[in-house]
């Protein structure tokens, strides 16, 4: 085995450099390494082995991918064992040490030849060529970390032929002319042509918004519009609850199955619209084709929720430096087996595995985690944050956005399918005295006023990340993923009604609003996504308690930490509602007396 060590100095601490250097897939792409497909082979004992093949220059390579080991911000180790090609083994290890004002990375490459060509490569140019390539990449990382470049690695812009360039120009014009473009169409097109494939395989609008310094809602709406106009394609990913990878993807919502199997983790898991069904995007092939495959399957930043992943031989115990911030964590093994959830607020409990049993032991020394394999087989121990994917745009959230319902009204569930939603906030509205309004100003004028009032509600609902689910007569049902957004929208409707009435020539309308949140069932009804259940019925009943110009919030919703400050000045009471035996607690937010007077006077 021959080895070569390189030391790089950085002006930033390890927690800044780690996310860049440990993004091994991105680095491999920038280094010009080939993309490859992974073949997963389940073993008799339930473990999974990973094999790959690729063409690299004149060589055809075949290897087994050994799962990467790492401790976040500290070190990682990556090993490949070849069955074809000039090398037998290739191991890369990176260690990060804090230094005054920055950090040091000690990078070690180890390789063993498989044949005469391998021996010649290792004796001559292999390590020098690899070192020069990595020096170039590290210089790019330094520039990015210092804020001197917009992306970690500078890539060549994709050059389009005349026909595709004209097509893209037309698409961008359509995006920018739409209400969902927000002036970002050109920027998105440039991103598609300039970015690495690692950025484009699964585009997440929230991550893109953060990179651009934009609010996430306009970028989400931009991506939805770009699908309609032909710049992007959408895909519904069913994420594995362990590795958080998209192990199954569908082109439409009605094709997302109720269950999926992750071959990497060897588990079967259920669909959860509020958690693991994600809408992501990638360039349309007519603009920029993106090939399937991997640059690196197991890089630490492909699973950023995993704080450490370390393999232990039978009977081995090992203490590793690791800083676990207070929070909720899960102990498990990479192999199929049990798991143990822990809440850490101080020294981390030991991670103990014995066969399929994973448990927490006595506290480790401060600043460390002790790992113990008490079983008879080699196991890879994992400590991961239980927080879900922060940038994921879930099916539950996107289907409550007005832009999605406007652009993809045909995106529905499979007939007969229904999805449990853990929590959704609903706002019901109704016009007070609408029958008298029609009698007073005539059917045509009243109908026009009602339609304008629908448009007024729609603008406010959309501005608060909600969507109009349906209109029923003069009433509206709107859905929101976040409870506070629903309450803010309701308050904004009432605060703006007087101005709306002035804009309509002084003919006063008065709106009654009720807001409630809870578990529901999503179904397809009349070719659109709708919500049903006792929670929906109660939300409608809460609206029935409201007077004109008033917002009534259910007591259950008022207890939500994000809602409580918004309703602190309201009047709490218990009220009887039809169909429910016991009185229901509500919070009544008084209406505008001026609007009330005008309406009652009519």
């Amino acid at each position: 085995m021959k080895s070569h060590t390189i030391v790089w100095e950085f002006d930033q601490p390890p927690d800044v450099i780690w996310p860049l250097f440990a993004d091994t897939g991105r680095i491999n792409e920038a280094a010009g390494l080939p993309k490859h497909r992974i073949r997963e082979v389940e073993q008799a004992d339930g473990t999974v082995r990973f094999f790959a093949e690729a063409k690299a220059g004149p060589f055809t390579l075949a290897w087994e991918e050994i799962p990467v080991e790492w401790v976040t911000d500290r070190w990682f180790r990556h090993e490949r064992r070849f069955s074809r090609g000039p090398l037998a083994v290739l191991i890369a290890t990176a260690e990060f040490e804090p230094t005054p004002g920055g950090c040091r990375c000690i990078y070690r490459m180890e390789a063993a030849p498989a044949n005469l060509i391998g021996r010649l490569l290792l004796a001559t140019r292999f390590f020098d060529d690899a070192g020069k390539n990595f020096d170039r990449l590290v210089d790019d990382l330094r520039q990015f970390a210092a804020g001197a470049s917009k992306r970690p690695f500078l890539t060549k812009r994709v050059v389009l032929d005349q026909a595709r360039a004209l097509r893209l120009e037309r698409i961008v014009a359509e995006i920018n002319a739409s209400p969902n473009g927000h002036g970002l169409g050109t920027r998105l097109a440039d991103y598609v042509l300039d970015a690495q494939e690692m950025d484009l395989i699964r585009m997440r609008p929230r991550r893109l918004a953060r990179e651009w310094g934009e609010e996430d809602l306009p970028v989400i709406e931009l991506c939805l519009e770009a699908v309609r106009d032909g710049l992007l394609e959408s895909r519904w990913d069913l994420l594995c609850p362990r590795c958080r990878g998209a192990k199954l993807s569908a082109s439409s919502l009605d094709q997302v199955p109720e269950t999926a199997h992750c071959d990497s983790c060897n588990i079967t898991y259920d669909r959860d619209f509020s958690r693991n069904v994600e809408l992501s995007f990638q360039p349309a092939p007519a603009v920029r084709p993106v090939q399937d495959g991997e640059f690196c399957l197991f890089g630490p930043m492909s699973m950023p929720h995993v704080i450490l992943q370390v393999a232990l031989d039978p009977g081995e115990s090992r203490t590793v430096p690791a800083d676990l911030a207070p929070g909720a964590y899960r102990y498990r093994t990479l192999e199929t087996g049990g798991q143990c959830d822990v809440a850490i607020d101080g020294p981390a409990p030991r991670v103990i595995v014995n066969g399929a049993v994973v448990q927490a032991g006595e506290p480790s020394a401060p600043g460390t985690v002790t790992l113990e394999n008490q079983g008879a087989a080699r196991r890879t121990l994992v400590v991961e944050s239980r927080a879900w994917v922060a940038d994921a745009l879930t099916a539950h959230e996107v289907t409550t956005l007005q832009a999605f319902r406007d652009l993809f009204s045909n995106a529905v569930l499979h007939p007969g399918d229904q999805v449990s939603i853990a929590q959704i906030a609903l706002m019901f509205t109704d016009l007070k005295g609408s029958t008298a309004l029609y009698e007073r100003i005539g059917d045509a004028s009243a109908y026009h006023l009602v339609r304008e009032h629908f448009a007024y509600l729609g603008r406010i609902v959309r501005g608060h990340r909600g969507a109009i689910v349906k209109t029923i007569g003069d009433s509206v049902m709107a859905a929101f993923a976040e409870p506070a957004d629903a309450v803010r929208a309701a308050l904004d409707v009432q605060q703006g009604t007087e101005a709306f009435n002035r804009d309509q020539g002084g003919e006063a309308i008065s709106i009654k609003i009720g807001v409630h949140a809870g578990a529901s069932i999503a179904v397809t009804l009349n070719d659109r996504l709708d919500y049903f259940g006792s929670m929906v019925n109660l939300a409608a009943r809460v609206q029935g308690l409201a007077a004109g110009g008033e917002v009534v919030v259910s007591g259950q919703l008022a207890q939500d930490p994000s809602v409580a400050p918004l309703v602190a000045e309201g009047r709490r009471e218990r009220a009887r509602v039809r169909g429910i035996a016991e009185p229901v607690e509500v919070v009544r937010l008084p209406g505008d007396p001026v609007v009330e007077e005008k309406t009652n006077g009519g």
Side-chain angles (χ1 to χ4, degrees), residues 433-583:
S434 58
T435 301
L437 177 68
Y438 277 85
E439 293 176 352
R440 185 170 67 253
I441 67 175
D443 288 349
S445 296
Y447 178 76
H448 173 77
L449 185 58
V450 169
R451 300 301 299 176
E452 288 298 309
H453 130 274
F454 282 152
Y456 164 66
L457 293 175
R459 289 191 296 271
I460 292 178
V461 167
R462 175 175 178 168
H464 287 280
R465 309 175 71 94
I468 302 287
V469 178
K470 58 186 174 184
T471 59
I472 312 164
D474 304 324
S475 304
V476 160
M477 173 184 173
F480 302 80
E482 293 294 331
D485 288 336
V487 176
R488 290 191 186 100
L491 295 173
D492 281 359
V493 167
Q494 300 298 25
Q495 291 169 5
T497 299
E498 185 175 2
F500 171 83
N501 286 335
R502 287 197 303 269
D503 293 342
Q504 300 303 315
E507 184 60 51
I509 64 168
S510 183
I511 304 173
K512 305 184 295 181
I513 304 180
V515 189
H516 179 48
S520 180
I521 299 293
V523 300
T524 295
L525 182 68
N526 297 328
D527 296 324
R528 66 165 178 256
L529 283 174
D530 206 339
Y531 302 96
F532 283 88
S534 58
M535 171 267 177
V536 181
N537 294 334
L538 180 55
R541 301 285 191 269
V542 168
Q543 179 273 317
L545 298 174
E550 191 174 56
V551 175
V552 176
V553 176
S554 70
Q556 176 182 328
L557 175 57
Q559 295 175 8
D560 186 280
S562 66
V563 173
L566 303 175
V567 301
E569 302 300 321
R571 185 175 78 250
R572 295 180 179 271
E573 61 182 56
R574 297 187 68 83
R576 290 197 173 275
V577 298
R578 181 165 52 89
I580 298 179
E582 297 296 324

Side-chain angles (χ1 to χ4, degrees), residues 150-423:
K150 294 182 179 180
R151 297 199 182 112
F153 302 109
L154 301 179
T155 56
K156 293 182 179 179
R157 184 181 178 92
V158 173
V159 178
L160 303 179
D161 57 35
Q162 185 177 14
R164 288 198 297 165
L166 290 174
R167 183 187 305 123
L168 181 58
E169 183 179 343
R170 174 186 56 78
I171 290 172
V172 170
E174 291 176 352
I175 292 173
N176 286 335
S178 77
N180 302 305
H182 303 287
L184 297 171
T186 301
R187 193 171 189 180
L188 180 61
D190 288 341
Y191 184 84
V192 166
L193 297 181
D194 291 339
Q196 289 184 256
E197 283 196 18
M198 284 292 297
D199 294 311
L200 302 175
I201 294 171
R202 183 174 300 107
M203 294 172 59
R204 286 177 162 144
R206 283 200 176 92
R207 178 176 179 176
L208 195 58
R210 189 169 61 250
E211 181 179 328
W212 288 357
E214 299 283 347
E215 296 293 327
D216 62 351
L217 182 58
V219 179
I220 292 171
E221 293 179 342
L222 168 71
C223 291
L224 292 171
E225 182 68 37
V227 172
R228 204 276 298 269
D229 295 333
L231 177 57
L232 302 180
E233 288 185 342
S234 61
R235 48 187 269 181
W236 299 92
D237 297 324
L238 192 50
L239 305 181
C240 171
R242 279 197 163 197
C243 66
R244 314 287 170 89
K247 297 303 178 179
L248 186 147
S249 297
S251 59
S252 61
L253 189 60
D254 61 353
Q255 294 178 358
V256 179
E258 295 184 20
T259 61
H261 183 80
C262 176
D263 291 333
S264 300
C265 300
N266 197 17
I267 63 168
T268 297
Y269 57 97
D270 294 331
R271 174 187 68 187
D272 182 343
F273 265 40
S274 301
R275 190 172 177 85
N276 70 346
V277 179
E278 178 188 11
L279 179 62
S280 63
F281 304 87
Q282 62 184 26
V287 177
R288 179 178 176 178
V290 176
Q291 296 181 347
D292 290 336
E294 301 284 348
F295 286 108
C296 182
L297 175 65
F298 289 114
M301 293 311 296
S302 67
M303 293 177 283
H305 65 291
V306 174
I307 311 303
L308 66 83
Q309 180 167 292
V310 177
L312 269 67
D313 289 325
E316 183 180 359
S317 177
R318 184 174 175 186
T319 297
V320 298
D323 297 314
L324 299 185
Y329 293 87
R330 174 165 292 161
Y331 293 174
R332 63 176 176 87
T333 58
L334 186 63
E335 301 78 18
T336 303
Q339 60 191 36
C340 175
D341 293 339
V342 297
I344 295 178
D345 187 12
R350 294 169 179 251
V351 186
I352 301 172
V353 59
N354 191 340
V357 177
V358 179
Q359 58 187 341
E362 295 296 317
S364 307
T368 70
V369 179
T370 297
L371 314 171
E372 298 181 19
N373 180 7
Q374 298 179 353
R378 182 178 173 86
R379 286 288 181 266
T380 303
L381 278 62
V382 174
V383 175
E384 64 185 11
S385 167
R386 292 183 61 193
W388 196 245
V389 182
D391 290 335
L393 178 62
T394 65
H396 167 47
E397 181 180 2
V398 75
T399 54
T400 61
L401 295 179
Q402 193 65 54
F404 177 82
R405 287 181 174 260
D406 290 345
L407 294 170
F408 304 101
S409 58
N410 61 340
V412 296
L413 298 172
H414 190 273
D417 197 1
Q418 63 182 36
V419 176
S420 296
I421 303 294
Q423 174 167 282

